[in-house]
Amino acid sequence: MNLVINFILLFTTWLLFSGKFDLFHLALGGVSCFIVALFSTELLFENRQKGIAARLGEAGRFIFFSGWLLYQIVLANFHVIKLALSPRSLERDLDPHIFTFKTSLKTTFAKFVLANSITLTPGTVTIRIHGDIFHIHAISQKAMGDLANDEQMSEMEKRVAWVFEGGRR
Amino acid sequence: MLDIIVIALMVTGLFFFFGTTIGLHRFPDFYTRMHAAGKGDTLSSILLLSGLALYNLHHLSPDTVQVSLKIMFICVVIFITSPTATHAIMDAGYESKVKYWTRRKDSSAPQSSIEPGKGEDT
Amino acid sequence: MPSVFTNSNMESFFIYIGIGLLLLMFIPLYRVVQGPTVISRILGVNVIGTKTTILVIIIGTIYTKVEMFVDIAITYALLNFITSLAAARFFQKNKQMCPDTQEESKGEDAC
């Protein structure tokens, strides 16, 4: 089952990149996609129990989430540009901190998405993931926001949990 | 009409890249420079590439649509890999204890609860 | 050069964008040449590489051969990611490459 999904994904990419639809190229693509799918199915899917509907829902929510993320990136860029272009900002606004917080997300992929999202939001960059513990570099005390709070989940983590754990929270 | 959107997207992208590079030049240490690089690089690349992809749709045909899809694929690749590369470079810097700039004069090396170098889970 | 552009204004616009991108790429290049730490140099190379991907597509648009240049650009984007990953990992493994000098200078991380 997973093999078929993986093959379809790979073959779509092949069709997109080759752009030729005669029999020779299609057969070539089919054979090579099948061989690659045989090897890479083990790597692609972490959790084998999940059904196809759950995966599609995850993908849909992820697209919705990346829309919100895009808005956050624009905010982050204005933040960086404001810091970079205002002449006195380095003395006034810059106050870097390194702090850690503990996440409750389970899967590796969800942690990866959370780390990338933290990097792309204003004022914070992920340095390292160490098990459940995230090391974050924040550009100022204000930018730390609610991430540093260990007891309750931050806004960002809630959204990532909503994407990957089916909107239970 | 299409040209106006293309021009707007690309000029905005260039402006964001300008801000990023100024930040890269002015910020005091490696970690803060990483902020500028990781964020500005992603957004300015996405804006510039979307402008180019849109411009390719001038003559609508299967070939140009395919080229535009490929350019959008580069967008997605950059959207995923740029924060990851930032993360990897930053992790390497953190592990080798690059000094970081703070207001407090007493702390010149990164302190953390976990000793750097015990292995990581990425 | 035979131009199939609907208006040549767009062509000169792309040339100006390319020149602007090229000029702005000199600032990260300064970071690469002058940068106080090895890791800052890797960062500068990463930024330049990402922008080179875009410059390749702009050049393709100017020469009206995007379908050829876009494949090169995809390869370049993937290679750039692998390059910065490999450079970062190499730096991490060879920490003695960067002796930890403790000279106190505000605003500069000496290395």
Side-chain angles (χ1 to χ4, degrees), chain B residues 3 6-7 10-11 14 17-18 21-22 24-31 33-34 37-38 40-42 44-46 48-49 51-52 55-56 58-59 67 70-71 73-74 77-78 81-82 84-86 88-89 91-93 95-101 105 108 117 120 122, chain C residues 4-7 10-11 13-14 16-17 20-21 24-25 27-28 30-31 35-37 39-40 42-44 46-48 50-51 53-54 57-58 61 66-67 70-71 73-74 77-78 81 84-85 88-89 91-92 95 98 100-111:
Chain B
D3 287 355
V6 170
I7 289 173
M10 294 193 73
V11 169
L14 206 64
F17 184 48
F18 171 72
T21 47
I22 295 296
L24 206 62
H25 185 68
R26 278 193 69 206
F27 282 167
D29 76 335
F30 156 69
Y31 295 97
R33 271 177 221 141
M34 214 74 216
D41 225 22
T42 318
S44 60
S45 305
I46 287 175
L48 285 164
L49 285 174
L52 286 165
Y55 183 74
N56 264 303
H58 238 108
H59 323 280
V67 168
K70 277 183 185 175
I71 296 177
F73 179 78
I74 300 179
V77 165
I78 286 178
T81 58
S82 176
T84 315
T86 308
I89 297 172
D91 192 30
E95 174 126 348
S96 54
K97 294 176 183 160
V98 176
K99 277 195 275 181
Y100 83 103
W101 183 90
K105 292 286 187 291
S108 59
E120 71 277 344
T122 309
Chain C
V4 296
F5 280 74
T6 46
N7 50 356
M10 282 309 277
E11 189 181 4
F13 168 72
F14 280 121
Y16 285 133
I17 286 279
L21 214 54
L24 283 179
M25 267 159 64
I27 301 172
Y30 171 81
R31 229 352 119 209
T37 43
I39 205 85
S40 290
I42 298 173
L43 170 60
N46 185 22
V47 171
I48 290 178
T50 318
K51 290 301 168 250
T53 313
I54 296 162
I57 299 182
I58 288 178
T61 315
V66 204
E67 66 276 6
V70 80
D71 293 330
I74 290 174
L78 294 172
F81 172 59
S84 38
L85 220 59
R89 282 282 170 263
F91 178 75
Q92 207 167 0
K95 270 169 289 188
C98 163
D100 205 13
T101 48
Q102 293 292 336
E103 64 183 76
E104 200 59 52
S105 56
K106 189 197 168 220
E108 290 295 321
D109 37 359
C111 179

Side-chain angles (χ1 to χ4, degrees), chain A residues 97-141:
Chain A
H97 287 276
I98 292 182
F99 66 97
T100 60
F101 80 94
K102 198 171 184 321
T103 181
S104 57
L105 295 172
K106 294 289 177 294
T107 60
T108 317
F109 188 66
K111 281 179 197 163
F112 164 76
V113 170
L114 179 62
N116 275 9
S117 313
I118 287 170
T119 301
L120 290 174
T121 41
T124 45
V125 167
T126 313
I127 298 173
R128 153 175 305 179
I129 310 171
H130 193 280
D132 277 348
I133 304 191
F134 279 59
H135 292 226
I136 312 283
H137 181 272
I139 211 163
S140 64
Q141 195 86 41

